Amino acid sequence: MRLEFILSPLNHASGEEMFAWQVYAASPALKDKIALRDHSQGDVFSWAELALSIGQCAEGLTAQGLKPGQGLALCGKNSFDLLCHYLAGLQLGARVLGINPAFTPQKRQELCARNHISLCILFEPPLAEGVAAGQKKIEKKHRSFPLATEYIASDLPLSPYTLTLTSGSTGLPKAVVHDIAAHFANARGVCELTEFGSGNSWLLSLPLYHVSGQGIVWRWLYSGAELHLAAADFYASVARATHVSLVPTQLSRFLAYLAEKGKQNVNTRHILLGGSQIPLALTQELAHWGICSYSGYGMTEMASTVFAKKSDGSKGVGQALNQREYLLVGEELWLRGAGLAKGYWQQGTIVPLTNEQGWLQTKDKARWVKGELEILGRLDNMFISGGENIQPEEIEGIIQQFGGVKQVFVLPKNDPEYGQRPVALIAFETRFDMEQVNKLKLWLSDKIEKYKQPVAYFPLHSEKLQEGAIKISRQRLQAELIQLLGK
């Protein structure tokens, strides 16, 4: 049973909204079907049991004062508790914002204020309570932070929305607003491509604060399949699910796991790849294990995957999935169609993200080659490291606040595991030395997420690189970095 009919909440005869998990739980044929396996706890939930858990979370949120149209922020790593609160917030008609737990408390507070969040919940790592009958009992734990704002947008319908952060070159990341219909529309095309149906399982292998993690949830709900939550041995959990989403860093480690453990008891049949350029060597090695991989391209603003294909020997990402449209304007890729967001949340309203022609201008460079799209890079300076978007200007702005920094540029260097990692070329007011660098690294350690902290520092010779120009070009900086790295 696929939810072809549930592109938005349905109504009971009583007039109350009904969501996908409630539809399955109310079905005599499906209520006892397994909906979720939590490998971290060894728990299994039917659709009826899952809907009950979500309902209990919804009651808890209501008791804390959350109302339809208000903002709910969830900050933590993937867990059953976090997932239930995510769905419960939507069931209540709230705007649900996911926040990376690597963000500093100050950044978390600023994001909550900017996005009119009334209640923020911080999910902590589970704690062992003790041993009973030879097994550890794990306590799920979270802390709630009611905030001053009780903002409800008067000009918006009191419908559930997700807010997903996307990086920007300046300031805090923007929140992209999707309704449930957009998530389901995106899910449909991916399920068709990957042959994902009710008899399959998908591992929640990517964080819920990313659109890629949310995409997994909506494919599961669209198909009425099983969702798996990972155990401490992440790659053993990958091997248990029929379908998995991985970034190249994870794929490389999973291949190492297969090489060590062998293919015995491996259920994985389909792996959807994304997050950065996907090395052909990895997809070719995966094919040797009899696992079908898909090379994809997606955007937060489009609710996840837009282009995808079965991986082959070419660098392209295939063709647009069902109901997605694209244009190439010069070298820039424009998009619209299934999954397109309502807009960006800004000062209590939703600001459109499309241009006057109704297209999303992606700032990605692309070309059409031999019947498929090939992504060439960015028109701006953003790059991807281990599946995380990194905007150099954000890191540069923070480093500039450190006393004694004259000028700094952050650039990507290629990395076999993460795709790319940030590196800094820096000029201090005094001479460049490692004592200064080490002081900067210590100062930076709690100012920005770890994955954004440069992995190496090199002296910046501004006069040499500028040579009479108004400013130093990043192309020249990248060429200088290649020389410094010796390749």
Side-chain angles (χ1 to χ4, degrees):
M1 174 183 175
R2 280 187 171 177
L3 291 188
E4 300 278 355
F5 56 87
I6 193 167
L7 295 181
S8 60
L10 296 181
N11 292 323
H12 290 298
S14 64
E16 296 179 1
E17 289 182 330
M18 194 173 186
F19 293 80
W21 48 94
Q22 295 172 317
V23 172
Y24 292 131
S27 166
L30 297 174
K31 65 179 182 179
D32 295 323
K33 180 182 180 295
I34 293 174
L36 184 145
R37 295 180 187 269
D38 186 352
H39 295 304
S40 68
Q41 305 291 303
D43 293 332
V44 176
F45 296 85
S46 67
W47 283 108
E49 292 167 333
L50 178 66
L52 178 62
S53 294
I54 295 169
Q56 290 171 342
C57 285
E59 290 174 2
L61 292 172
T62 300
Q64 293 179 81
L66 188 70
K67 301 179 180 67
Q70 288 186 340
L72 169 67
L74 306 174
C75 181
K77 294 183 178 180
N78 288 351
S79 67
F80 180 74
D81 200 17
L82 175 61
L83 174 68
C84 285
H85 278 82
Y86 172 81
L87 298 175
L90 296 175
Q91 186 170 304
L92 290 174
R95 292 176 288 106
V96 182
L97 169 70
I99 296 180
N100 188 337
F103 288 173
T104 64
Q106 179 183 353
K107 186 170 183 178
R108 185 170 69 236
Q109 292 168 7
E110 290 173 350
L111 286 167
C112 286
R114 170 175 288 195
N115 294 289
H116 298 94
I117 299 301
S118 298
L119 179 66
C120 178
I121 301 180
L122 179 62
F123 295 81
E124 300 175 335
L127 301 173
E129 284 187 329
V131 178
Q135 293 186 342
K136 285 187 176 180
K137 174 72 174 175
I138 303 296
E139 177 190 6
K140 300 183 179 86
K141 196 173 181 184
H142 59 261
R143 291 184 292 149
S144 298
F145 298 90
L147 303 174
T149 177
E150 294 186 357
Y151 181 89
I152 297 176
S154 59
D155 57 341
L156 297 176
L158 300 183
S159 299
Y161 293 108
T162 62
L163 302 183
T164 310
L165 299 175
T166 185
S167 60
S169 59
T170 58
L172 291 172
K174 296 176 289 187
V176 180
V177 183
H178 283 102
D179 60 16
I180 289 178
H183 284 297
F184 272 125
N186 183 280
R188 177 179 180 177
V190 179
C191 290
E192 290 172 351
L193 174 72
T194 60
E195 304 171 25
F196 185 62
S198 61
N200 299 125
S201 55
W202 207 304
L203 179 70
L204 189 56
S205 51
L206 300 170
L208 264 179
Y209 54 80
H210 274 186
V211 76
S212 52
Q214 293 176 65
I216 296 169
V217 169
W218 295 104
R219 292 166 212 149
W220 160 58
L221 293 173
Y222 174 82
S223 297
E226 286 185 19
L227 184 70
H228 288 193
L229 302 182
D233 188 341
F234 177 80
Y235 294 100
S237 300
V238 171
R240 292 190 183 108
T242 63
H243 290 64
V244 187
S245 298
L246 299 177
V247 298
T249 306
Q250 294 172 320
L251 176 58
S252 177
R253 293 173 181 175
F254 180 54
L255 287 168
Y257 173 89
L258 290 176
E260 179 185 352
K261 303 289 186 180
K263 200 185 173 185
Q264 188 177 6
N265 299 322
V266 174
N267 296 322
T268 314
R269 296 292 177 267
H270 303 266
I271 296 181
L272 178 63
L273 300 169
S276 64
Q277 284 285 353
I278 300 151
L280 297 178
L282 294 182
T283 60
Q284 291 167 354
E285 186 178 349
L286 196 60
H288 292 320
W289 291 96
I291 300 173
C292 181
S293 65
Y294 304 83
S295 300
Y297 162 84
M299 290 200 74
T300 300
E301 288 85 350
M302 292 293 291
S304 192
T305 309
V306 182
F307 286 78
K309 65 169 185 179
K310 288 185 177 180
S311 302
D312 53 25
S314 71
K315 295 180 179 179
V317 291
Q319 301 185 11
L321 298 182
N322 185 32
Q323 297 183 334
R324 284 80 157 164
E325 297 179 67
Y326 75 95
L327 276 179
L328 284 175
V329 181
E331 288 189 310
E332 186 178 18
L333 178 65
W334 292 12
L335 297 172
R336 68 182 183 188
L340 181 65
K342 293 288 186 183
Y344 297 114
W345 184 264
Q346 184 175 312
Q347 296 180 347
T349 189
I350 297 176
V351 178
L353 45 70
T354 53
N355 60 21
E356 293 180 354
Q357 293 79 38
W359 293 88
L360 169 66
Q361 296 182 227
T362 68
K363 297 182 182 178
D364 283 323
K365 291 174 63 176
R367 63 181 178 182
W368 194 255
V369 180
K370 296 181 180 178
E372 65 175 339
L373 189 74
E374 184 177 329
I375 304 297
L376 302 175
R378 293 283 295 177
L379 293 171
D380 61 12
N381 302 312
M382 191 190 81
F383 61 93
I384 300 174
S385 179
E388 299 279 2
N389 290 347
I390 293 183
Q391 202 78 40
E393 292 91 342
E394 178 194 4
I395 306 171
E396 292 163 2
I398 293 172
I399 292 176
Q400 288 279 11
Q401 298 172 28
F402 179 73
V405 172
K406 184 178 180 181
Q407 194 173 20
V408 62
F409 291 95
V410 172
L411 303 169
K413 83 173 185 71
N414 293 333
D415 184 274
E417 185 176 7
Y418 291 90
Q420 293 182 311
R421 300 297 299 275
V423 170
L425 274 67
I426 188 166
F428 293 104
E429 295 290 353
T430 58
R431 64 186 178 85
F432 179 97
D433 59 41
M434 289 313 299
E435 182 180 357
Q436 283 275 70
V437 169
N438 289 333
K439 287 180 180 178
L440 170 59
K441 290 166 69 174
L442 180 63
W443 178 85
L444 195 62
S445 62
D446 64 352
K447 303 295 188 302
I448 197 168
E449 301 88 300
K450 187 174 180 181
Y451 66 85
K452 294 180 182 177
Q453 295 172 22
V455 297
Y457 292 81
F458 296 99
L460 173 66
H461 302 293
S462 303
E463 300 80 6
K464 169 189 168 185
L465 293 167
Q466 198 164 338
E467 289 185 353
I470 296 174
K471 62 181 181 178
I472 304 172
S473 75
R474 289 188 182 263
Q475 290 78 11
R476 295 203 66 177
L477 286 165
Q478 197 70 51
E480 175 74 2
L481 178 61
I482 290 171
Q483 287 189 356
L484 291 168
L485 294 172
K487 55 184 174 180

